[in-house]
């Protein structure tokens, strides 16, 4: 079972890598104060991997069960069209929770994607900024080699953006 501070720090960093969520987001997910988060996390599983998987499952359950923004096929098409012609800045390398190199969007790209997505789906004011921060924080491409901004990259970005969009206004 995860019992040390370094274990819970790794779990929080891993969730940030995956979805760009913070400790405050996780505390909100479980309806607890952020000061009690580490104590709560260790009750969710027997080791850091099972705890991380449980958290990701809980996040998905909240996204599906309580979503306020639903991304439609029309939204998906419009956002994919916007991404198809966008010229990305160089991606930013970062260390993941596991110590590997990954790649995240530049601040300008995260802002552009988040704000265009918010416009397309009609996201409530202020949540576009939450989406921007999450897109900028998460490891979009977990590989040591910087990706080309080809169709596979754009598809991954679109999928992650759709997921995070449906998570906004809930968490």
């Amino acid at each position: 079972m995860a019992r040390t501070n370094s274990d819970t720090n790794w779990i929080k960093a891993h969730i940030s890598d995956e979805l760009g969520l913070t400790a405050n987001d996780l505390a909100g997910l479980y309806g607890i104060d952020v000061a009690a988060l580490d104590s709560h996390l260790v009750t969710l599983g027997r080791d850091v991997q099972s705890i991380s998987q449980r958290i990701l499952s809980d996040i998905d359950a909240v996204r599906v069960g309580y979503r306020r923004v639903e991304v439609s096929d029309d939204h998906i098409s419009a956002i994919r069209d916007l991404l198809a012609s966008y010229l990305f800045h160089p991606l930013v390398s970062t260390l993941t929770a596991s110590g590997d190199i990954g790649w995240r969007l530049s601040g300008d790209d995260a802002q552009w994607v988040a704000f265009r997505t918010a416009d397309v789906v009609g996201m409530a004011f202020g949540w576009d900024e939450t989406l921007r921060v999450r897109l900028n924080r998460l490891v979009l491409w977990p590989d040591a080699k910087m990706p080309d901004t080809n169709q596979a990259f754009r598809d991954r970005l679109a999928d992650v953006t759709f997921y995070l969009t449906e998570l906004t206004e809930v968490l």
Side-chain angles (χ1 to χ4, degrees):
M1 181 182 278
R3 296 210 182 269
T4 67
N5 195 25
S6 62
D7 289 342
T8 56
N9 286 341
W10 185 91
I11 292 164
K12 291 181 284 189
H14 177 69
I15 299 301
S16 180
D17 289 349
E18 290 286 322
L19 297 172
L21 301 180
T22 65
N24 287 331
D25 296 323
L26 294 177
L29 171 68
Y30 294 111
I32 58 175
D33 186 67
V34 73
L37 182 60
D38 287 356
S39 298
H40 180 73
L41 292 179
V42 299
T43 68
L44 297 178
R46 65 188 181 324
D47 57 39
V48 293
Q49 293 299 329
S50 65
I51 292 170
S52 295
Q53 290 307 310
R54 167 72 187 272
I55 293 168
L56 291 171
S57 176
D58 291 347
I59 290 167
D60 197 50
V62 166
R63 180 188 66 87
V64 171
Y66 298 98
R67 77 178 107 194
R68 295 181 189 164
V69 174
E70 191 162 344
V71 178
S72 71
D73 289 342
D74 291 340
H75 296 142
I76 291 169
S77 177
I79 294 165
R80 285 193 188 277
D81 287 347
L82 288 170
L83 290 175
S85 61
Y86 183 69
L87 297 175
F88 287 90
H89 296 81
L91 298 175
V92 178
S93 65
T94 188
L95 283 177
T96 66
S98 61
D100 298 325
I101 294 175
W103 300 89
R104 64 178 178 79
L105 293 177
S106 71
D108 290 342
D109 292 341
Q111 179 175 326
W112 187 89
V113 172
F115 292 1
R116 296 298 99 41
T117 300
D119 291 343
V120 168
V121 302
M123 192 179 293
F125 180 76
W127 284 101
D128 55 351
E129 179 64 13
T130 299
L131 181 59
R132 180 196 68 79
V133 169
R134 289 175 179 169
L135 283 171
N136 188 234
R137 189 181 300 123
L138 69 88
V139 176
L140 184 62
W141 200 265
D143 191 322
K145 184 179 181 278
M146 184 171 80
D148 295 324
T149 53
N150 58 18
Q151 193 60 48
F153 171 83
R154 291 167 196 272
D155 287 345
R156 168 123 173 94
L157 175 57
D159 291 343
V160 168
T161 301
F162 303 147
Y163 188 93
L164 291 177
T165 298
E166 289 191 335
L167 192 58
T168 59
E169 298 186 39
V170 175
L171 184 62

